[in-house]
Amino acid sequence: MSETGALDAERLSAALSGRYAAIQVVASTGSTNADLREAAAKGAEDRTVLIAEEQTAGVGRRARQWSSPKGTGLYVSVLLRPGGVPFANLGSLSVVAGLAVREVAAGLGVDAVLKWPNDVLAGPDRAKCAGILAEAVAGDETTVILGIGLNVLPLGENVPAGPGGLPATSLAEQGATETDRAEIATRLLTGFGELEHRWRLAGGSLAEAGLLGDYRRHCATLGQDVEVQLPDGSALTGRAADIDPAGQLQVDVPGGERYTVFAGDVVHVRPAGS
């Protein structure tokens, strides 16, 4: 296992061999997603990457704080302009990113699963190791900012739990065979780039991209009794039954009806079969 200091944009660019239009590493910023939204408005190119050593105002879904201490994780945002992908399919980009993160974790010997819609859980206790946030940007051209926060080294104490009381963990704490953040960033951006390319060519359809089956296999939410906190403040309780080709969760509720959920926070009420 190896550990390194600060990330280096030139090293990352060389390792990624032109897969991305631009890669920038900054010592500290409020939010990499917010910075790329501004860059998008100024005409930044498709597949522009911004990585921060530290975020002082990192956020996840529903504007929740994402703990981003200096030098312990990867705080990465990618600006994408996926022309040809219908707006209704843009939400499935979080699924693509989740698969990329899980593949990296698995390649490092970490037991990791996906929690719909945007979390990666690791270890026997299924603690939160990564979070994903995809944000569409208003404008004439389809633009999405995709943010990934991945805990590589231990975060220390006093890190708030996530929705549903999920504690935080890191790759190192779960026995990762590698903790060099530059190496992990290279693996993550390589894997995500390949999966995103397939997703884009398929018009954002997970099924046509050949990704839906992978997500179903690795999604710990499926088969669980769940409570979904919906954006309007209401809640939906039922059994998580499936993921559709647009990345939406399908929930079977008492009475035999099936509801399709586009966005919401999910609490795993109990493991399937328990």
Side-chain angles (χ1 to χ4, degrees), residues 35-178:
D35 290 350
L36 279 192
R37 283 199 302 272
E38 293 184 7
K42 297 176 182 177
E45 292 183 70
D46 181 24
R47 297 191 174 98
T48 292
V49 176
L50 177 63
I51 304 174
E53 289 282 357
E54 172 190 45
Q55 289 185 124
T56 58
V59 295
R61 285 176 52 81
R62 304 179 79 171
R64 291 190 180 93
Q65 180 182 0
W66 175 266
S67 182
S68 312
K70 185 175 181 178
T72 63
L74 290 176
Y75 317 121
V76 183
S77 291
V78 185
L79 186 161
L80 299 162
R81 299 188 187 274
V85 175
F87 183 84
N89 286 350
L90 294 179
S92 62
L93 192 55
S94 292
V95 167
V96 177
L99 285 170
V101 174
R102 197 215 68 85
E103 287 179 7
V104 168
L108 299 174
V110 173
D111 173 27
V113 296
L114 300 164
K115 175 178 175 287
W116 189 91
N118 67 328
D119 293 335
V120 180
L121 311 182
D125 296 328
R126 296 302 186 227
K128 184 170 179 175
C129 187
I132 296 156
L133 180 64
E135 301 178 290
V137 178
D140 295 335
E141 185 177 8
T142 300
T143 304
V144 182
I145 308 299
L146 188 283
I148 300 173
L150 172 60
N151 301 330
V152 177
L153 301 173
L155 300 176
E157 300 179 357
N158 302 318
V159 176
L166 284 174
T169 191
S170 65
L171 295 176
E173 290 170 286
Q174 299 303 328
T177 56
E178 175 67 79

Side-chain angles (χ1 to χ4, degrees), residues 178-240:
E178 175 67 79
T179 56
D180 180 337
R181 290 182 305 128
E183 171 62 24
I184 294 172
T186 299
R187 295 190 190 195
L188 176 59
L189 287 169
T190 297
F192 172 72
E194 293 171 353
L195 295 181
E196 190 273 336
H197 180 67
R198 288 166 56 183
W199 170 86
R200 191 181 298 208
L201 289 178
S205 169
L206 297 173
E208 292 185 24
L211 301 176
L212 185 56
D214 288 346
Y215 191 82
R216 286 170 170 160
R217 279 191 294 274
H218 298 300
C219 181
T221 303
L222 294 180
Q224 299 235 20
D225 287 342
V226 297
E227 180 179 281
V228 185
Q229 302 293 331
L230 300 173
D232 65 3
S234 64
L236 179 70
T237 301
R239 175 64 63 95

Side-chain angles (χ1 to χ4, degrees), residues 9-34:
E10 290 187 5
R11 175 184 171 187
L12 289 172
S13 295
L16 290 164
S17 303
R19 285 184 172 89
Y20 292 89
I23 298 176
Q24 181 182 11
V25 176
V26 296
S28 181
T29 190
S31 162
T32 54
N33 264 31

